[in-house]
Amino acid sequence: MADRSKAEVVRRLFGVNLEQQGRGFYVALEMLAIARGVYLAHQQDPQKHAGLLDDGDRVAYTRTSHDLARRIATKASIAEGDEELGKAVELDSPETLETLHALFSSLLVEIPGRRSQPSWFGAHIYPFVGELIHYDAVDRQLHQRGASPKKREQASKLTAKIKAPSIERYLFRDGGGWAYKVLRSDPDPDRKAATRQGLDDLVRDSGTPLGNLANALSAHDFDYDEEPYEDDSERDIDLYEDLSPWPGLLRNGARNIVARTMTPRAKRTESLMHWVPYCLARHQLHLARRKLGFTDGESILLDFGNEATPLRSESQKNLSSFRNDIGNAINIQAREMINEAEGDEAKKGRYERFTKENDNAVASPRAFFSETLAAVGALNATVGRRHFTMKPPMLEALASATVPQGTEMEFDQFCALLYKNYGLVTENKVAAASPLAHEIDSSVLAHNGKAFREKLGAIGLLTQYSDATSMVRGEPR
């Protein structure tokens, strides 16, 4: 009951249920799984199922679990036994299984802050090609009675009370559904068409040896969709575009990222994997601050230095304040919902625990914000003294999302645009327009801007010309 009431409060405030369990890369993995599934369903029956980003009342998509590849990657037990495994893998040569383990274990998404090796269903394969994209799954005990013919057949392969893979939302928590809805509800037809074309290139079959291997193994997955799954969860997702600029910023950035046809597919996918969760975390923060009465966009101080400075201390305070804002906004939202409940004492009791400042009830949605930023590299670390920064993969995603394909931008102009669009403060010229200008000495900010320039150059995003002009690109040279 507590979890359901928490979801009600969080969804009402942010438009989607945001939980620590679905943090970081899980947002982008879910979005890509939906997009891949829509592509497959449309290929199967174009007349019945809508295509990628098409309008419609609900989304239908075919879910691929890749449970066999993931179990091989983590050396999990194969519940079906060696006979079933032998249909997919040549067991006469143990080297084959070891080679597949080495290959797929190297393709698993790294989740920062994870303290132990996850079970197979906690391990997800990086979607470098379309055939590797998969949905969520978990181990469940299957029952033959009342099940579909497929489930009865699958259950008959198992020893009694043995658990086996079942496709369902487990670590995915609707963040990817929010992102897919943002893209498919784009009011700009040209931008939407460009995004559709670029996204289609990422999720369709690649025809590469790796893709062919992934398809061959997925044909032996324990669980699979016989018919496309019709998902009506979008109806419970509100975008709140009138309150936040981040749905529009996600669309602009996603279009710029996926449209880079000269950039390798893996690099475009990596940038999208970082950009999408970042936008949702910033959307959460913006809505929280609007609930608290802040009408201006938030300013975020990025620290690119290598040592402790007043700028870093202020950035740490920045992060702590924003986490408190999210918790306080949840408190206020719960109080509003209690007032709306009027005489319903049971409902009031369910929401009461979310009105207390710093109560454990707000810990999970608040952690979604900071742990998502840490996962994608927008914070310096997952634990300890943390501050805002941009690690190279996140910085590449930011540049790719901001600088249109085939163009360059002067460094000062790029910094100004980062502040105008995203509230990111990087150097002294930008800081003059921010409330943070009164907190940090100009010389410290100038030094930070120099470090930022050097970091862009080090990862191939900036070129320094002989006339002292510095130009920023959207992809590494």
Side-chain angles (χ1 to χ4, degrees), residues 167-467:
I167 297 177
E168 60 185 81
R169 183 179 282 122
Y170 178 66
L171 289 169
F172 293 173
R173 292 295 167 121
D174 275 342
W178 173 87
Y180 189 78
K181 183 174 182 177
V182 168
L183 296 182
R184 87 180 190 106
S185 62
D186 192 344
D188 183 331
D190 293 336
R191 181 174 60 189
K192 184 176 180 179
T195 304
R196 177 189 289 113
Q197 182 176 349
L199 192 58
D200 179 88
D201 187 49
L202 296 184
V203 303
R204 66 168 49 248
D205 285 355
S206 66
T208 60
L210 177 59
N212 294 336
L213 174 61
N215 269 343
L217 285 179
S218 69
H220 297 278
D221 283 341
F222 186 87
D223 199 11
Y224 53 89
D225 279 341
E226 295 177 283
E227 295 291 333
Y229 172 70
E230 294 196 354
D231 190 353
D232 59 2
S233 62
E234 264 198 12
R235 68 185 181 186
D236 297 323
I237 295 175
D238 294 309
L239 301 184
Y240 292 147
E241 294 188 72
D242 56 328
L243 300 176
S244 169
W246 283 96
L249 293 172
L250 170 59
R251 292 171 183 139
N252 281 335
R255 184 267 314 275
N256 286 341
I257 289 169
V258 301
R260 297 181 185 280
T261 53
M262 301 303 293
T263 301
R265 180 197 299 240
K267 180 61 69 174
R268 280 176 279 157
T269 299
E270 183 180 29
S271 291
L272 203 61
M273 285 277 290
H274 286 76
W275 179 246
V276 172
Y278 181 79
C279 288
L280 180 52
R282 291 294 307 275
H283 179 65
Q284 178 191 20
L285 174 62
H286 191 88
L287 291 174
R289 286 171 59 79
R290 284 296 297 261
K291 176 61 69 174
L292 297 176
F294 295 100
T295 56
D296 296 332
E298 55 278 359
S299 292
I300 290 182
L301 194 56
L302 298 184
D303 175 18
F304 291 102
N306 295 319
E307 57 188 15
T309 64
L311 183 151
R312 177 166 299 180
S313 297
E314 197 62 34
S315 185
Q316 291 167 346
K317 293 177 185 176
N318 215 196
L319 174 61
S320 178
S321 175
F322 289 155
R323 282 173 49 84
N324 288 336
D325 287 343
I326 291 171
N328 292 336
I330 295 172
N331 299 154
I332 292 175
Q333 182 64 58
R335 283 193 286 270
E336 290 178 357
M337 294 172 71
I338 288 174
N339 292 335
E340 292 172 3
E342 295 181 346
D344 191 335
E345 296 303 321
K347 186 176 288 187
K348 287 183 178 180
R350 293 207 307 270
Y351 299 146
E352 182 66 34
R353 63 193 296 257
F354 305 103
T355 65
K356 300 172 183 177
E357 187 175 355
N358 295 322
D359 189 271
N360 288 336
V362 305
S364 180
R366 183 175 56 204
F368 174 88
F369 170 73
S370 51
E371 293 196 23
T372 290
L373 293 185
V376 300
L379 296 181
N380 65 307
T382 56
V383 295
R385 295 284 288 172
R386 298 186 290 180
H387 59 265
F388 291 105
T389 188
M390 289 278 173
K391 295 181 179 179
M394 184 63 226
L395 196 50
E396 289 182 8
L398 181 69
S400 183
T402 306
V403 183
Q405 182 184 15
T407 66
E408 290 185 324
M409 190 176 296
E410 205 279 322
F411 175 73
D412 287 343
Q413 181 188 0
F414 179 64
C415 291
L417 194 58
L418 293 185
Y419 179 68
K420 177 183 176 183
N421 287 354
Y422 319 128
L424 299 176
V425 178
T426 55
E427 44 91 55
N428 55 326
K429 295 176 184 177
V430 168
S434 168
L436 297 173
H438 304 290
E439 307 294 336
I440 307 295
D441 186 86
S442 178
S443 63
V444 176
L445 287 162
H447 181 75
N448 192 64
K450 181 181 178 181
F452 179 41
R453 187 194 305 262
E454 291 172 351
K455 177 160 285 191
L456 287 170
I459 59 178
L461 294 174
L462 179 142
T463 300
Q464 186 84 42
Y465 293 98
S466 58
D467 62 354

